[in-house]
Amino acid sequence: MRWITFYKGGRRKNTHEVFHNEENTRTSGKRLLSDFKTPLRQIWTLTETQDLLRLGHPVLHNKVIWIASLIQSSQHWLSLPLSLLFLLAMGANVILLITIRTEASLHEPMYYLLSLLSLLDIVLCLTVIPKVLAIFWFDSKSISFSACFLQMFIMNSFLAMESCTFMVMAYDRYVAICHPLQYPSIITGQFVARAATFIITRNAIFSLPVPVLSARLRYCAGNVITNCICTNLSVSKLSCDNITFNRLYQFVAGWTLLGSDLILIVLSYVFILKVVLRIKVEGAVVKALSTCGSHFILILFFSTVLLVLVITNLAREKIPPDVPILLNILHHLLPPALNPIVYGVRTKEIKQGIQNLLRRL
């Protein structure tokens, strides 16, 4: 069996020990590589989030040491808000799905798309957060090789699916405001079914090579990934092979999918704004903008969190390494928790449906 170990406090290895272990790894490389003929059956170990910041550098900046030791000493305190956010995300999305399912007035294309977004949020939360909490609470640092790559695939594909869903929802608002008379004939149940098929198929196909490329690498270096989830770069860095193509594919595929969605979303809102500004009827502008206000807030929050995550990863050498890891976790937790709340608070029909559901309970 092969293991990846995430530091958990304890004694830090000195430089001699590190080099000694690396030499042992090189000399036993052939034996280790033979274990990876069927890599999906191997056992790996996830990084400990408590060392969310176990950096692997022999010399650390004082500020980094302070932040790392702060998180290490407050491991269980950090798990509390994460647990509450996880319960909030799961509960709010389940309630929203039940409300849309049981309320006949919500059986419309716009709410079907919102149901799809809630399903994606639930899957993302269940893929990432339970394992993170298990590391915090139970010191559960191991994950099977197949589960690691499955988590990698779901994170990459479902994140792109959420972005694509926002794009389809922006088109829905564009048709509703710019072509209201054609809306019932364009945005139909059949349109939603085709859109859902497109969302799932496109992003699954483009995201599948990410874990496949990582699985084909030869792993003969260290066995520690400096993360608490199985991201592509964290795992592939353990390989002895050149990972330039892996990095390039993820970069191109990610920016192609997310970038194209963002461009179409921006264009939709530009056309919406042009139409709204031409309306001369008093109060019509506010009413028109309120119909897409919730959607715009969710897109803005989703894009902002993603942008901050990208920037922190690009500036990884200038900030504590635990910051990108924490932001990555929050990116899989905050949007799922806020999406149903924003729609529930701002949409009268959903709010009324939730009230009816609570009365029946």
Side-chain angles (χ1 to χ4, degrees), residues 155-319:
M155 287 191 299
N156 284 277
S157 61
F158 276 64
L159 180 64
M161 288 179 195
E162 280 201 354
S163 174
C164 194
T165 303
F166 282 129
M167 182 268 290
V168 176
M169 294 172 74
Y171 176 74
D172 170 83
R173 293 298 85 201
Y174 161 76
V175 176
I177 295 176
C178 300
H179 305 281
L181 298 180
Q182 288 79 31
Y183 182 83
S185 60
I186 297 176
I187 309 299
T188 62
Q190 187 177 19
F191 168 82
V192 174
R194 289 177 177 176
T197 303
F198 169 75
I199 290 170
I200 295 172
T201 304
R202 184 198 76 162
N203 298 290
I205 290 175
F206 276 91
S207 300
L208 184 59
V210 174
V212 171
L213 289 172
S214 291
R216 290 172 59 87
L217 295 173
R218 294 180 303 114
Y219 292 93
C220 58
N223 63 345
V224 178
I225 61 175
T226 55
N227 210 327
C228 56
I229 53 181
C230 288
T231 62
N232 176 41
L233 296 182
S234 297
V235 176
S236 59
K237 283 180 181 178
L238 300 177
S239 172
C240 300
D241 294 335
N242 191 325
I243 62 171
T244 302
F245 184 74
N246 291 50
R247 298 168 64 97
L248 181 62
Y249 180 84
Q250 181 164 9
F251 178 82
V252 173
W255 282 106
T256 299
L257 297 176
L258 301 180
S260 61
D261 292 341
L262 182 60
I263 291 173
L264 293 174
I265 290 171
V266 171
L267 288 176
S268 297
Y269 276 98
V270 168
F271 289 129
I272 289 173
L273 190 59
K274 289 176 62 177
V275 170
V276 166
L277 293 178
R278 294 174 187 169
I279 300 176
K280 305 299 182 181
V281 181
E282 184 179 354
V285 174
V286 176
K287 183 177 180 181
L289 292 178
S290 65
T291 61
C292 54
S294 300
H295 179 246
F296 181 76
I297 292 173
L298 296 185
I299 291 176
L300 186 63
F301 185 78
F302 177 86
S303 302
T304 301
V305 175
L306 185 61
L307 181 62
V308 172
L309 180 60
V310 171
I311 293 175
T312 53
N313 275 280
L314 292 176
R316 185 180 293 270
E317 296 181 358
K318 300 180 180 179
I319 61 175

Side-chain angles (χ1 to χ4, degrees), residues 39-98:
L40 296 182
R41 298 179 182 176
Q42 308 306 316
I43 303 298
W44 291 64
T45 301
L46 270 180
T47 297
E48 172 115 28
T49 337
Q50 137 185 15
D51 271 302
L52 229 47
L53 310 180
R54 178 53 70 177
L55 319 178
H57 299 290
V59 180
L60 300 175
H61 192 281
N62 289 337
K63 184 176 180 181
V64 177
I65 294 175
W66 179 80
I67 294 177
S69 61
L70 175 63
I71 293 180
Q72 180 175 346
S73 62
S74 58
Q75 172 179 340
H76 297 292
W77 290 104
L78 185 59
S79 67
L80 180 60
L82 292 180
S83 301
L84 294 177
L85 282 173
F86 174 68
L87 293 176
L88 176 63
M90 297 302 297
N93 281 287
V94 168
I95 291 175
L96 182 61
L97 287 172
I98 295 175

